[in-house]
Amino acid sequence: MAKRVGIEVSLAVSEAVMLANVDVIAAYPITPQTHIVEHLSELVADGHLDAEFIPVESEHSAMSTCCGSAAAGARTYTATSSQGQALMLEICYVASALRLPIVMSVANRSLSGPISIWNDHSDMMMSRDTGWIQTVAENGQEAFDLTLHAFRVAEDPRVLLPVINNLDGFTLTHVIEPIEMLDQKEVDRYLPPYQPQMRLDPENPISIGPVGMPEVYTEAKKAQDEAIKSAKPVIIEAWQEFGDLFGRYYKPVETYRTDGAETLLVTMGSLSETAMTSVDHMRANGKDVGLVRIRLFRPFPFEEFLAAVEGAKQIAVMDRALSLNGAGGPLAIEVKAALYDEPERPYIWNYVAGLAGRDVTIENFVEMADGVEAAAADGLRAGYTMINVRE
């Protein structure tokens, strides 16, 4: 029987990276990500992990270093958050375009301004079109498991794309949870040694990532688009293999008590667990409400999402980020796009909540469920509401 260990989630992520036997870690500290790379530096310094730990001068340098190490054939890892991810964003586009299988943990935190160190999903949404695969953890166990899954997927010869595993800052990163840790032999059964398909060789120097003239740029982007779409079956396959080995199965879209539910909540991240408690509360009070949770954000799981919401009359999508274009939150925009061509699509209302760590309670989720039902009954044109805004 697997042993549960009480450990801070950030340190559990570090332990997963160590078990993955990474070759290079390039990192710069930023709250609330710092504990991840701080612990990795200790593991390297104490001889527990045989890797190069490169303390760089900025996040832009961290991602640049990762590109170089991955291109040379090294298993490569970094971590960041919020403004740090914004600084490295330029090079994130390069990493995906060059098909470099870098793994990065993002401790999700709100973007400035005003300055905030607390959690929401604005950094995740900022990077949604960089060409990286993105998964989302709900708790510490998932943050540990999805880190290993990220290496397994990124390095698969059918994929060769960078992967971000998102975990909520502070809400997860700084919380101690009981986590079933795997040992090295178990991880080695799941994650084979990295065999790079392409690598820079000093004996045979070549140029990579040169200027893309108009004659080739469109074709390069077409190839990149096909690559991330083709990655989804491998992502699912790797989750199935993980479940077969360790008993914890993951899916692109996961549901909770959706059978017979006419009203569905849609969430991503750690607040999904509060939403599950809210669903239990509403079910106990006779309301047919269920929950749909997005596990795979990029590539967006259109087919799985449509199957999960089939039969629902109305959907309340909770966003933890705001698109400043008058349309509400970015997750709701994705959901509306997924349902656009459906002949009997459910009514959708968007709720923007939990920005910069503001509490979202069971009562708030009840408010969302009641609100979308009332809006649908009144025939209101679909819109959005910001929750817990002080007057």
Side-chain angles (χ1 to χ4, degrees):
M1 184 176 179
K3 180 180 179 181
R4 288 193 172 188
V5 177
I7 186 172
E8 183 184 294
V9 173
S10 288
L11 306 190
V13 171
S14 306
E15 294 286 325
V17 174
M18 180 183 68
L19 290 166
N21 280 318
V22 297
D23 300 309
V24 174
I25 303 155
Y28 190 83
I30 183 171
T31 303
Q33 170 273 135
T34 304
H35 288 187
I36 298 175
V37 296
E38 185 178 64
H39 186 51
L40 280 168
S41 71
E42 294 169 348
L43 293 171
V44 172
D46 293 342
H48 300 299
L49 173 59
D50 182 12
E52 292 293 327
F53 187 96
I54 305 173
V56 293
E57 68 270 21
S58 73
E59 289 85 0
H60 189 280
S61 298
M63 186 51 60
S64 298
T65 301
C66 285
C67 285
S69 66
R75 180 171 282 171
T76 302
Y77 175 82
T78 189
T80 192
S81 180
S82 184
Q83 308 302 127
Q85 191 178 10
L87 182 56
M88 68 166 56
L89 206 61
E90 175 191 1
I91 312 303
C92 286
Y93 282 93
V94 175
S96 59
L98 294 182
R99 307 290 297 276
L100 300 174
I102 300 162
V103 170
M104 175 163 63
S105 300
V106 175
N108 299 124
R109 163 187 155 184
S110 54
L111 289 165
S112 297
I115 294 172
S116 167
I117 64 169
W118 290 276
N119 165 240
D120 64 30
H121 290 166
S122 51
D123 53 3
M124 183 197 313
M125 298 305 170
M126 170 188 64
S127 62
R128 65 188 183 272
D129 294 329
T130 56
W132 288 55
I133 294 166
Q134 292 200 51
T135 57
V136 187
E138 295 176 5
N139 55 48
Q141 185 68 65
E142 294 176 5
F144 177 87
D145 294 349
L146 293 177
T147 300
L148 298 170
H149 174 263
F151 285 104
R152 174 71 175 76
V153 169
E155 296 170 356
D156 191 294
R158 296 166 293 176
V159 178
L160 294 179
L161 285 169
V163 179
I164 292 171
N165 181 34
N166 294 283
L167 63 155
D168 287 345
F170 290 117
T171 309
L172 289 185
T173 56
H174 287 55
V175 173
I176 296 174
E177 293 189 7
I179 296 175
E180 291 186 5
M181 308 290 282
L182 303 176
D183 62 33
Q184 191 65 64
K185 289 183 178 180
E186 290 174 315
V187 172
D188 290 345
R189 290 165 59 197
Y190 178 69
L191 182 63
Y194 179 36
Q195 300 292 333
Q197 303 297 300
M198 302 171 288
R199 62 190 302 175
L200 294 176
D201 182 359
E203 301 300 322
N204 183 29
I206 59 172
S207 294
I208 63 171
V211 174
M213 301 300 285
E215 291 78 9
V216 301
Y217 187 89
T218 298
E219 287 71 25
K221 287 301 166 186
K222 172 66 174 176
Q224 198 176 346
D225 185 51
E226 292 300 321
I228 197 165
K229 288 190 294 184
S230 299
K232 194 173 82 167
V234 183
I235 295 167
I236 296 170
E237 175 187 299
W239 272 331
Q240 181 69 37
E241 291 175 2
F242 189 94
D244 291 344
L245 284 170
F246 309 121
R248 294 186 293 276
Y249 291 90
Y250 298 100
K251 296 178 180 179
V253 177
E254 297 172 6
T255 60
Y256 183 72
R257 301 191 72 172
T258 56
D259 291 345
E262 295 186 347
T263 301
L264 296 177
L265 303 171
V266 177
T267 58
M268 277 199 312
S270 60
L271 275 172
S272 297
E273 297 197 333
T274 304
M276 283 188 260
T277 304
S278 305
V279 167
D280 290 340
H281 171 80
M282 288 184 274
R283 285 280 188 168
N285 285 277
K287 289 181 64 67
D288 293 329
V289 177
L291 175 65
V292 174
R293 299 127 62 205
I294 308 295
R295 168 81 59 229
L296 177 64
F297 183 57
R298 284 291 183 271
F300 194 82
F302 290 101
E303 294 178 5
E304 291 82 358
F305 182 80
L306 291 176
V309 302
E310 185 177 4
K313 290 185 176 180
Q314 50 266 330
I315 299 175
V317 182
M318 193 204 76
D319 263 288
R320 299 200 64 196
L322 180 64
S323 288
L324 298 174
N325 63 355
L331 180 59
I333 295 171
E334 301 267 356
V335 168
K336 290 173 184 177
L339 290 164
Y340 182 78
D341 288 327
E342 295 301 299
E344 297 183 5
R345 61 179 179 267
Y347 181 85
I348 302 169
W349 195 270
N350 180 207
Y351 293 92
V352 178
L355 299 184
R358 183 164 292 186
D359 285 342
V360 181
T361 66
I362 292 173
E363 291 74 20
N364 291 144
F365 281 110
V366 173
E367 177 185 351
M368 294 177 207
D370 290 343
V372 71
E373 291 173 359
D378 292 341
L380 297 180
R381 182 177 178 180
Y384 69 99
T385 303
M386 296 185 70
I387 294 289
N388 288 340
V389 178
R390 296 196 304 273
E391 295 182 358

